[in-house]
Amino acid sequence: MSNLQAKNEKRLLIILFTIVPVALLLIFTYYPLVKMLQYSFTDWDGFSPTKHNVGLDNYKKVLTDPNYFVVFKTSLYYFLSGFVQLGLALLFATLLSFKVKFANFWKGILFFPYLLNGVAIGFIFLYFFKENGTLDSVLNMIGLGGFKQLWLGNRNINNISLAFTSTWRYIGFNFLIFLGAIQSVNPEVYEAAEIDGANSWSIFKYIIVPAIKPIIFLNIILSVAGSLSVFDIPFIMTGGSNGTMTFVIQTINTAFRYNKLGLASAMAIILLVIVVIVTMVQRVLTAEKGGEK
């Protein structure tokens, strides 16, 4: 009887400890999602007590009006910079996986930007790129003052500047993942390769890359999903002006600046569907890669 009582008490504790996070998840995640889905079929402005059902008109407008969907082209800058970011993260992770002087110091330097708040990073680089700011001062110092630009005002390069900022911020995250994956490889494999006379490039090409291929592939998919939902860096630094508007910034402006909450909800649902599709593709392809192994 005591064993049965102990089991019941254990079950009760599990339920009590589980019900709070589940309730929070339902209240602050799934309930707002359901309400947003409902709003996406209305013309609600966020204030009026009444809402009119407009069917799929909001979705048609987003998908057919170039003013709404064309801003996804801005994501291409972040998409391309994501590959640069992954390449650098993999390079540094490979170098610091072996004997390097002050390795922990360099690891800390690389990971530190990821610990900073996105708003703080936005303001840091806002002053970095401003006219006669840090970057212009450095260019003058090394005799390259002729290359000075309106880094955030020139439409030809402002998105490149923002993508560079995003790369600097997130490289530490990818670096840490790659570093853990590389160090999970049995050290005896590296030792055997060195005994056989393999150079650093051969070790990287034939041992490291095949061993961490699933992690590389996963990071690529995460980078693609992240490039679609960029918000904080361009919002803080440019407010989405001068050709730097992203889909998320436009969604927020539509909801809170133009009071078209129904339309903005449809935009958010569309973005959610795109991200879910990308995630599903990642799961399928990752499973296939795992099956091949």
Side-chain angles (χ1 to χ4, degrees):
M1 189 68 178
S2 59
N3 290 336
L4 180 61
Q5 185 178 0
K7 288 182 179 180
N8 290 334
E9 290 179 354
K10 185 177 181 180
R11 289 173 182 172
L12 181 61
L13 285 174
I14 292 173
I15 293 173
L16 291 176
F17 277 104
T18 304
I19 195 170
V20 174
V22 170
L24 293 174
L25 184 66
L26 291 173
I27 293 172
F28 294 105
T29 301
Y30 292 106
Y31 177 72
L33 177 60
V34 172
K35 296 300 293 184
M36 183 173 66
L37 183 62
Q38 293 176 351
Y39 295 151
S40 69
F41 297 105
T42 69
D43 61 354
W44 192 40
D45 60 5
F47 300 100
S48 302
T50 58
K51 314 175 191 65
H52 301 97
N53 195 313
V54 296
L56 297 174
D57 288 352
N58 288 331
Y59 291 95
K60 291 179 182 177
K61 187 171 185 178
V62 175
L63 295 173
T64 58
D65 190 337
N67 293 325
Y68 290 99
F69 208 74
V70 74
V71 294
F72 269 118
K73 69 180 183 181
T74 307
S75 300
L76 292 175
Y77 290 94
Y78 299 95
F79 173 76
L80 295 175
S81 70
F83 287 95
V84 175
Q85 172 187 305
L86 293 175
L88 291 174
L90 181 57
L91 172 63
F92 291 131
T94 303
L95 293 175
L96 294 176
S97 294
F98 302 100
K99 293 181 180 180
V100 177
K101 288 186 178 180
F102 310 112
N104 290 333
F105 171 77
W106 297 118
K107 291 175 185 177
I109 291 293
L110 287 167
F111 187 67
F112 177 72
Y114 184 69
L115 300 177
L116 297 178
N117 183 273
V119 176
I121 291 177
F123 280 110
I124 289 171
F125 277 89
L126 186 61
Y127 287 100
F128 179 79
F129 286 119
K130 71 179 292 188
E131 188 175 4
N132 296 320
T134 305
L135 180 56
D136 286 351
S137 299
V138 171
L139 290 176
N140 285 329
M141 188 184 304
I142 61 178
L144 298 176
F147 289 95
K148 291 193 300 184
Q149 302 282 337
L150 293 175
W151 303 104
L152 298 177
N154 186 343
R155 279 179 172 264
N156 295 323
I157 60 172
N158 54 8
N159 280 308
I160 297 176
S161 301
L162 295 174
F164 169 82
T165 304
S166 182
T167 298
W168 182 84
R169 178 187 181 189
Y170 289 106
I171 191 172
F173 173 76
N174 297 114
F175 161 76
L176 191 65
I177 293 178
F178 285 139
L179 183 66
I182 293 172
Q183 291 183 341
S184 68
V185 179
N186 191 337
E188 294 180 358
V189 177
Y190 298 127
E191 294 175 3
E194 291 177 355
I195 292 174
D196 289 339
N199 56 29
S200 299
W201 171 247
S202 297
I203 293 174
F204 175 77
K205 183 177 180 181
Y206 296 108
I207 297 177
I208 293 178
V209 172
I212 67 170
K213 189 178 293 185
I215 302 299
I216 296 175
F217 188 77
L218 175 62
N219 277 347
I220 291 174
I221 298 300
L222 292 175
S223 179
V224 173
S227 68
L228 297 173
S229 54
V230 175
F231 169 69
D232 50 357
I233 295 298
F235 184 78
I236 294 298
M237 295 179 67
T238 64
S241 62
N242 203 23
T244 61
M245 181 77 70
T246 65
F247 193 75
V248 177
I249 294 176
Q250 188 179 56
T251 300
I252 292 175
N253 287 342
T254 302
F256 302 109
R257 179 176 295 181
Y258 304 116
N259 297 328
K260 297 180 179 180
L261 201 70
L263 181 60
S265 297
M267 296 171 68
I269 292 294
I270 289 172
L271 180 60
L272 175 63
V273 170
I274 293 174
V275 172
V276 168
I277 291 174
V278 170
T279 304
M280 290 175 63
V281 170
Q282 172 261 316
R283 286 181 177 273
V284 171
L285 295 179
T286 302
E288 290 180 356
K289 294 288 184 180
E292 289 176 5
K293 292 178 67 178

